[in-house]
Amino acid sequence: MSRGYNQRFRCAPEHVRPAVSTEDVLGAVDEAVRTGRRIAVRSGGHSFEHLVDDPSVQTLIDLSAMNAVQYDWRRRAFMVEAGTTLGEAYRKLFLGWGVTIPGGTCPDVGIGGHVCGGGYGALSRLHGLIVDHLYAVEVVVVGPSGRATSVVATREPSDPNRELWWAHTGGGGGNFGIVTRYWFRSPDAHGGEPATLLPRPPATVLHYSLDWPWSQLDQDSFVRLVRNFGEWGERNSAPGSSAAALYGELALPSRPSETITLSGQVATDTGAQALLDDLVNALGQGVPIQPARQSSALPWLAATQAFGYESGASDLRSKIKSGYRRRRLTDQQIVTAYRHLTRSDYNYPYANLFINTYGGRVNAVAPAATAVPHRDSVFLVGYLVGWQGAAEDTRHLSWIRDLYRDIYADSGGVPAGDADDGSFINYADTDLADPRWNASGTPWHALYYKDTYARLQQVKRRWDPHDVFRHALSVRPH
């Protein structure tokens, strides 16, 4: 199957089961369990690792046709089926009721895996993570009897299934069952008027990009630029910060690329230009060149398409890694990044380190309130390379692994230091479970889940006692 995003991994299942309803999923799961076939599920198809596209998968359940978005008057919440893409969800919620959810910036990503991994996006500094607005989830599970059943779990304290809801607020996909539907309602919402139950986006956002030519940056100016961005984030990422409306992704590509780019949006109807000016001024301190600057006011719905990329039909092979940061990268880490990005023996333009703004309202939620325990970080740092052709695998995998290991050299090659806060499960990286690449003594599940892992294991034992739903980084029953 080649629909997956990362062509390093292919699956050739015996059965592909398209589903248009929960009943379809129930039937497909029952058949797979009865015949002893390993199951995987796909919504958008954007997994970076072989958690879905694995040769051992024998039954693949495809949810892409389950894309309804409706208001559920009984639950006073918005129901979004798991095959819906982010772009579809944003469009239907906004055009129907004038509301949105603070999810990711790539409109082709499927809701199914994005939500249960604790997705973040351009509005998260203002409104928290998407899971902070998750009210309920419908999951097809396989209990002790070995039969598939559907369960709705809510965040209501009186709900006996509440722990199953909690596990889907950041516990990752493919662990406990198959999500078929999500319901969203903000935790502080009251009443039953739909237009008041989720965040309302601004009428317009200021979409911007800043470009610095690589050819005019030496090591000192590179360090100063990245340091400036880090210090701005440290100053402007507290919950309630006036700068929470500003979201940015600083892309630091390998030197054959022509530019370093900071792109993002300012999501406020008043004062957007002043917030951007403040950021530009902060970035320019001690940096000898000014960036080429572009910005435009876009209607909010149009802005949700501004970060788009091609859907799951990618022909790229790729690898991604990540690390939450409580503070900016140190100067030594920035020097290390510069060294790898300017290596004369690599010379490949489509490899990069990126630093995304984080914090704000995300950090106003208690670490145990959801299964996302990373609630005191101001940045999410990513490492990504994409290429074509299996013959190039060793070259590119070596580069990204060396970069990551050297950035975190003081903590065993992974983000386990005092200023680090682990890794993001939706940027799945099986290297974290490999002692060749993780010499920290911190297990992979502690990097992804911290102290919540034992609680996730309890949920696993109750709702998936036969370990039907498993993959390379799945929650282990014991």
Side-chain angles (χ1 to χ4, degrees):
M1 298 290 294
S2 61
R3 182 171 162 254
Y5 179 70
N6 187 352
Q7 296 306 307
R8 285 176 59 214
F9 307 110
R10 299 289 187 97
C11 64
E14 299 170 18
H15 300 284
V16 177
R17 300 298 192 206
V20 298
S21 67
T22 300
E23 289 69 28
D24 287 346
V25 177
L26 286 165
V29 171
D30 265 338
E31 180 188 39
V33 172
R34 185 176 63 252
T35 57
R37 292 184 171 93
R38 182 173 169 189
I39 301 170
V41 61
R42 172 180 290 161
S43 57
H46 290 81
S47 176
F48 284 101
E49 282 283 6
H50 56 291
L51 311 190
V52 175
D53 295 301
D54 190 279
S56 67
V57 170
Q58 297 160 302
T59 294
L60 180 63
I61 301 174
D62 191 297
L63 304 183
S64 57
M66 295 182 64
N67 58 7
V69 177
Q70 301 167 352
Y71 182 68
D72 184 334
W73 287 97
R74 183 169 68 90
R75 290 193 170 91
R76 295 183 297 115
F78 294 91
M79 188 281 296
V80 181
E81 288 187 319
T84 311
T85 64
L86 289 172
E88 290 174 320
Y90 297 151
R91 182 174 62 84
K92 292 175 181 178
L93 288 170
F94 182 71
L95 294 180
W97 300 276
V99 299
T100 192
I101 43 180
T105 57
C106 298
D108 294 326
V109 165
I111 282 278
H114 179 74
V115 174
C116 60
Y120 74 101
L123 294 180
S124 290
R125 283 162 52 85
L126 277 175
H127 300 296
L129 300 175
I130 195 170
V131 295
D132 298 337
H133 301 266
L134 182 64
Y135 174 72
V137 59
E138 180 182 74
V139 193
V140 171
V141 298
V142 178
S145 70
R147 294 297 305 274
T149 59
S150 64
V151 177
V152 174
T154 75
R155 69 175 178 230
E156 297 293 343
S158 60
D159 188 341
N161 301 327
R162 189 178 189 276
E163 284 294 278
L164 185 62
W165 162 82
W166 175 86
H168 286 87
T169 62
N175 279 316
F176 312 101
I178 296 177
V179 175
T180 49
R181 294 188 287 181
Y182 293 106
W183 284 264
F184 296 96
R185 186 177 80 222
S186 296
D188 57 350
H190 300 285
E193 173 54 44
T196 67
L197 300 182
L198 282 175
R200 297 185 66 85
T204 61
V205 301
L206 184 65
H207 186 74
Y208 70 89
S209 66
L210 309 171
D211 295 308
W212 292 264
W214 249 125
S215 61
Q216 297 182 39
L217 291 170
D218 59 14
Q219 178 175 297
D220 289 344
S221 55
F222 177 90
V223 170
R224 186 60 187 261
L225 174 61
V226 179
R227 181 202 301 155
N228 288 347
F229 183 60
E231 291 176 343
W232 181 91
E234 290 175 339
R235 293 193 304 270
N236 292 282
S237 296
S241 167
S242 61
L246 192 151
Y247 172 78
E249 303 177 357
L250 180 61
L252 306 170
S254 185
R255 184 65 177 265
S257 293
E258 294 182 358
T259 58
I260 286 172
T261 300
L262 174 62
S263 60
Q265 65 181 47
V266 190
T268 177
D269 289 320
T270 59
Q273 195 65 58
L275 286 173
L276 181 58
D277 289 343
D278 177 72
L279 172 62
V280 173
N281 290 336
L283 294 173
Q285 298 300 309
V287 178
I289 56 172
Q290 291 296 311
R293 177 172 171 174
Q294 294 182 321
S295 63
S296 59
L298 297 176
W300 177 81
L301 189 59
T304 64
Q305 306 296 313
F307 291 91
Y309 57 78
E310 295 299 320
S311 63
S314 167
D315 62 353
L316 290 177
R317 305 167 73 82
S318 64
K319 180 67 176 177
I320 196 167
K321 294 175 173 289
S322 67
Y324 290 101
R325 291 289 297 182
R326 297 185 176 100
R327 299 187 292 277
R328 70 172 182 88
L329 293 175
T330 67
D331 285 1
Q332 182 55 53
Q333 288 175 313
I334 302 171
V335 169
T336 298
Y338 179 86
R339 174 166 54 84
H340 282 280
L341 293 171
T342 58
R343 278 171 47 177
S344 60
D345 63 339
Y346 188 58
N347 195 39
Y348 184 71
Y350 306 113
N352 74 97
L353 180 156
F354 59 90
I355 307 174
N356 292 354
T357 56
Y358 205 71
R361 187 66 186 170
V362 173
N363 293 349
V365 176
T370 68
V372 179
H374 314 95
R375 295 292 185 166
D376 59 358
S377 295
V378 298
F379 293 108
L380 180 55
V381 184
Y383 310 78
L384 177 64
V385 59
W387 67 93
Q388 293 178 320
E392 293 289 300
D393 284 5
T394 298
R395 176 190 179 205
H396 298 298
L397 288 171
S398 294
W399 178 84
I400 194 170
R401 284 168 169 161
D402 289 347
L403 168 62
Y404 195 74
R405 178 199 61 208
D406 292 351
I407 289 286
Y408 302 110
D410 292 340
S411 53
V414 300
D418 291 341
D420 301 306
D421 200 24
S423 299
F424 179 38
I425 189 60
N426 275 359
Y427 294 164
D429 175 16
T430 55
D431 287 354
L432 296 182
D434 187 335
R436 293 176 299 173
W437 305 108
N438 180 357
S440 68
T442 302
W444 66 268
H445 53 78
L447 293 168
Y448 285 128
Y449 302 121
K450 301 174 67 175
D451 294 337
T452 66
Y453 187 64
R455 187 174 170 187
L456 291 170
Q457 287 182 297
Q458 290 178 345
V459 178
K460 177 75 168 179
R461 288 192 291 270
R462 177 181 175 188
W463 294 102
D464 186 22
H466 301 294
D467 200 21
V468 171
F469 303 99
R470 62 188 186 275
H471 51 69
L473 292 174
S474 59
V475 173
R476 313 293 193 239
H478 304 286

